[in-house]
Amino acid sequence: MVLITDTIKQIFVLGRFTILEVVRERFALILLLLVVVMSVLSLLAGSLSMGEERRIMVDSGLALSNLVSRVLAILLTVAILCSELRRDSVQVLLLRSPPRWAYVLGRFLGIWCAVGIAMLMMISVTVVAIELLGESVPRAFWSCVWLNIVEIAVVVAIVLFFSVQLPKIIAGMSSAVIVFAGSFVDDFQNLANRAAQNGEVLYSYVGNLIYFGLPDLMALSLRHQVATAVDVSAQQVVDATLYGLSYAVTALVASMWIFSSRKSI
């Protein structure tokens, strides 16, 4: 029982330490500042569109925050984890405190929280601008924000999966490809169905394999519904949350298992 309690404490200490590392990463702060400036400019552009101010502000604000959150999640995870593994400083850390799986979990929680906080900071710019215009934030806006936070967990888990077993550049590129392809999952399914109709069994099998293997990031996006004031059911949010967290947990557990099974770090 004491061992479990100590491990949990070590995980949260690692998470807090990771957040502090993120703050020290200058490129993250520069990117965040750039996004805030871009958000302000896009919101100003929206204010010039008569009758479409809120829609444009909501759509552009959510799109920018989502895009930058993905980029931050990839860059920060690769920068922190791969750099530490390359410097071998992780060996000293593991000798003094947590088991390997707890190290990966602590890093995951820290990066997830750090990127989530950065995303909320960007979202706050959109909310303030909408309120200053005398408009109200759409009812499903915060459901969309929540699913963006879930998506961050998915992206961080994917990057961790590659980072614990591949060099820095390859891990970053592989993660970026998977995350980018995750926005077009439905297209792979359509191609697989079309191949099956044409009797191309191999192409259909490959298409379905890609479809079920990739993260369906569009299932976690409510941006268009929120921007156009379309009602979003609670069941849709719950289903998307369960899917996203299930995918993130699967990738995270695989990362912890791979890292724990490595003979050398």
Side-chain angles (χ1 to χ4, degrees), residues 33-49:
L33 179 61
L34 179 62
V35 170
V36 171
V37 173
M38 292 174 62
S39 299
V40 172
L41 292 177
S42 65
L43 296 176
L44 288 175
S47 65
L48 298 176
S49 304

Side-chain angles (χ1 to χ4, degrees), residues 147 150 220 235 237-247:
L147 290 182
V150 174
L220 302 175
Q235 188 61 47
V237 177
V238 171
D239 291 343
T241 299
L242 292 176
Y243 167 77
L245 293 180
S246 299
Y247 196 102

Side-chain angles (χ1 to χ4, degrees), residues 110-226:
I111 297 172
W112 183 21
C113 289
V115 178
I117 292 170
M119 190 268 292
L120 291 175
M121 291 172 62
M122 291 182 280
I123 286 294
S124 65
V125 177
T126 302
V127 174
V128 170
I130 293 174
E131 294 292 339
L132 289 176
L133 280 178
E135 298 280 352
S136 60
V137 175
R139 187 167 53 181
F141 182 85
W142 297 111
S143 297
C144 183
V145 172
W146 162 246
L147 290 182
N148 282 350
I149 293 175
V150 174
E151 181 184 306
I152 293 171
V154 174
V155 175
V156 174
I158 290 171
V159 184
L160 276 175
F161 176 79
F162 289 107
S163 297
V164 297
Q165 54 185 323
L166 295 174
K168 184 175 183 178
I169 296 178
I170 299 178
M173 292 179 62
S174 301
S175 304
V177 169
I178 296 298
V179 171
F180 176 77
S183 298
F184 302 96
V185 167
D186 290 339
D187 293 331
F188 288 107
Q189 186 184 38
N190 293 334
L191 289 174
N193 293 336
R194 191 178 305 169
Q197 293 174 357
N198 295 333
E200 299 171 334
V201 180
L202 179 61
Y203 290 117
S204 175
Y205 176 79
V206 172
N208 283 317
L209 187 65
I210 295 174
Y211 170 73
F212 288 108
L214 288 175
D216 188 359
L217 298 184
M218 293 308 296
L220 302 175
S221 176
L222 301 176
R223 178 166 58 90
H224 296 299
Q225 293 98 308
V226 174

Side-chain angles (χ1 to χ4, degrees), residues 73-84:
I74 294 173
L75 292 180
L76 289 174
T77 306
V78 170
I80 291 174
L81 196 69
C82 291
S83 297
E84 193 163 58

